[in-house]
Amino acid sequence: MPTLETHRAIDAVWRIESARLIAGLTRMVHDVGLAEELAQDALVAALEQWPESGVPDNPGAWLMAVAKRRAIDQFRRRETLDRKVVEIGRDLETQEPPTAEPDFDAIHSNISDDLLRLVFISCHPVLSTEARVALTLRLLGGLTTEEIARAFLTPEPTIAQRIVRAKKTLAQKKIPFEVPAASELGERLASVLEVVYLVFNEGYSATGGEDWMRPALCDDAMRLGRMLAELVPKEPEAHGLIALMEIQASRARARIASDGTPVLLNDQDRSRWDQLLIRRGLAALERAAALGQPMGPYVLQAEIAACHARARTPEQTDWPRIAALYARLVQLVPSPVIELNRAVALSMAFGPDTGLEIVDELVKEPSLKNYHLLPSVRGDLLAKLGRREEARQEFERAASLTRNERERELLMKRAAE
């Protein structure tokens, strides 16, 4: 196999296998930082050997075998060749180098539990939100520091520092590599879901830069969400989150015009919506409902997205139901941003003056002072009411607040109109 083709294969294998590899190693060495180093060593070995020997039939098992051997070498150098060697490499001492396919089932016997533990440790509340996002993309998404930095328009050294500090914090705090106790599970799962959705949202509506969307981040978040839903199949919010992301992602092709400018929801060509993603999202929503638990925040948001997905035309959208769902959501998770979305739904269902009454109250909310969507929504409602000069001022203010170039262009165009 040509070297370039082999390197592409290795990159694909790494994206698929790295999380499982790091998860299994963390269980063995009890240190997520060391586990990642061992996994990286195995990756280097693959880059060195596979161009000549070819990609093995079971590349994940090959990488795990090499990483285990590196772990034994490290512990030997530290003169701790005792219990850990027995745990990590019972049979590896007599094995030939892993040119043949190792026993994948034996190596990955606890893979689901290990992955779930890695999910919870990467998103541990002891870390800042920024650190959780960076560490999750690194350990579970298989992204390099450069890729994470490019995705979030953040300097690479900053991302690298966040990841290093996160691993140090986990080690210093002696965070156990385990699934939280039942009493802590709800709070910790909420942290995990939040991180995954933050990644998705940055891809779906980029907060800065020249691109309206970053599809690769959406794809990474959905991959993490699907993995999480498989790991905790009885948690409706996990299914709700993947339903929400699948349905929102279904609009991706229709959200950007041929010249790269954003296309708002009501102006989108719905024939371009991805029906496969919509069906998958609705199926995930059904799985959440089948669990028979009250709707949580992500299930409610997925239900709202489903209202749009089921409407063949903007006029068929069930806006009264959407407004009612937002009312339930704001009771569950009080938030001025959710209240702003409820105002939009009410305006669509019952007229712009109904929504404007709520929006005018939200103008007094300190947390929305620099939130560009508040003047954007207010400008839209004022325009519908014929208050054109006030609308122009609101659109210009919104344009001055956004950090996304494409969105700024759209807002200035609306102000000019």
Side-chain angles (χ1 to χ4, degrees):
M1 184 182 291
T3 300
L4 180 59
E5 189 177 340
T6 304
H7 283 182
R8 286 176 179 164
I10 293 171
D11 183 61
V13 167
W14 180 252
R15 290 294 174 92
I16 296 169
E17 299 291 346
S18 60
R20 303 180 215 184
L21 184 61
I22 294 168
L25 291 167
T26 303
R27 171 171 52 84
M28 297 167 196
V29 301
H30 306 290
D31 183 331
V32 71
L34 176 57
E36 192 194 2
E37 289 177 16
L38 294 169
Q40 291 286 343
D41 286 346
L43 175 62
V44 171
L47 288 168
E48 292 172 348
Q49 297 180 37
W50 291 2
E52 292 186 9
S53 64
V55 178
D57 292 337
N58 204 323
W62 191 99
L63 291 167
M64 179 63 86
V66 170
K68 280 186 171 185
R69 196 175 296 279
R70 294 287 196 275
I72 288 175
D73 291 343
Q74 286 216 19
F75 286 123
R76 178 180 287 125
R77 285 196 296 271
R78 296 174 188 175
E79 298 180 348
T80 58
L81 187 61
D82 45 20
R83 181 179 59 82
K84 289 188 182 293
V85 170
V86 175
E87 290 177 358
I88 298 172
R90 188 183 304 275
D91 300 320
L92 289 179
E93 291 296 284
T94 59
Q95 288 181 7
E96 294 297 319
T99 54
E101 179 180 345
D103 184 349
F104 183 81
D105 292 333
I107 289 175
H108 288 294
S109 58
N110 296 310
I111 189 63
S112 293
D113 288 344
D114 288 344
L115 269 175
L116 189 56
R117 293 184 186 107
L118 186 62
V119 166
F120 278 109
I121 201 170
S122 299
C123 300
H124 199 284
V126 75
L127 304 175
S128 69
T129 300
E130 294 82 4
R132 283 182 242 168
V133 168
L135 193 61
T136 298
L137 285 174
R138 178 64 175 267
L139 299 183
L140 292 160
L143 274 66
T144 64
T145 304
E146 180 185 2
E147 288 171 326
I148 300 169
R150 189 166 61 244
F152 283 90
L153 304 179
T154 304
E156 188 174 347
T158 302
I159 294 295
Q161 288 172 5
R162 285 178 188 170
I163 293 171
V164 169
R165 287 173 187 157
K167 289 186 285 190
K168 283 183 178 178
T169 299
L170 293 174
Q172 290 169 355
K173 300 287 186 181
K174 298 182 179 179
I175 302 300
F177 186 63
E178 63 186 15
V179 175
S183 59
E184 302 176 1
L185 187 59
E187 179 185 354
R188 291 283 299 279
L189 182 62
S191 172
V192 174
L193 297 173
E194 178 191 17
V195 166
V196 175
Y197 196 40
L198 276 171
V199 173
F200 179 85
N201 271 337
E202 184 58 32
Y204 190 72
S205 296
T207 55
E210 297 182 358
D211 296 320
W212 176 236
M213 290 186 67
R214 300 195 188 110
L217 273 183
C218 291
D219 292 341
D220 284 320
M222 287 193 290
R223 183 159 53 86
L224 291 172
R226 293 181 193 121
M227 180 180 73
L228 187 60
E230 290 177 6
L231 293 173
V232 286
K234 295 184 179 180
E235 292 293 336
E237 281 290 82
H239 296 297
L241 175 59
I242 190 59
L244 173 60
M245 293 191 295
E246 300 267 22
I247 295 171
Q248 286 185 317
S250 72
R251 307 174 200 151
R253 287 179 301 188
R255 293 185 75 232
I256 304 176
S258 57
D259 61 355
T261 56
V263 181
L264 300 179
L265 180 62
N266 280 353
D267 298 325
Q268 289 172 15
D269 178 358
R270 300 192 176 205
S271 68
R272 300 189 68 201
W273 287 3
D274 189 324
Q275 294 302 312
L276 175 60
L277 283 176
I278 289 174
R279 288 195 296 272
R280 286 167 61 166
L282 295 177
L285 201 50
E286 288 177 5
R287 284 193 290 274
L291 293 170
Q293 299 183 33
M295 287 193 286
Y298 291 106
V299 174
L300 282 168
Q301 290 177 81
E303 287 283 359
I304 292 167
C307 288
H308 293 294
R310 293 186 180 108
R312 298 285 181 145
T313 65
E315 293 74 25
Q316 293 176 352
T317 306
D318 190 348
W319 284 108
R321 173 168 168 74
I322 292 175
L325 288 167
Y326 271 124
R328 293 177 64 178
L329 183 60
V330 81
Q331 286 182 340
L332 199 60
V333 188
S335 161
V337 173
I338 297 173
E339 187 70 0
L340 180 62
N341 288 327
R342 187 174 77 90
V344 172
L346 285 170
S347 74
M348 297 298 292
F350 307 111
D353 50 344
T354 306
L356 186 60
E357 185 177 342
I358 296 173
V359 172
D360 284 344
E361 287 297 315
L362 290 173
V363 171
K364 305 169 189 174
E365 173 60 46
S367 64
L368 297 183
K369 181 180 179 182
N370 295 313
Y371 186 56
H372 72 282
L373 291 181
L374 177 59
S376 175
V377 168
R378 190 165 188 271
D380 184 63
L381 297 177
L382 288 168
K384 288 177 179 177
L385 290 168
R387 295 160 62 176
R388 301 174 64 83
E389 179 57 26
E390 292 174 85
R392 181 186 63 78
Q393 293 175 8
E394 290 297 297
F395 285 132
E396 288 178 349
R397 172 169 163 72
S400 71
L401 292 174
T402 184
R403 292 189 294 120
N404 185 281
E405 293 299 327
R406 292 295 188 180
E407 192 167 25
R408 182 178 292 113
E409 291 172 8
L410 174 65
L411 289 165
M412 290 305 297
K413 180 181 177 182
R414 297 197 72 188
E417 290 171 348

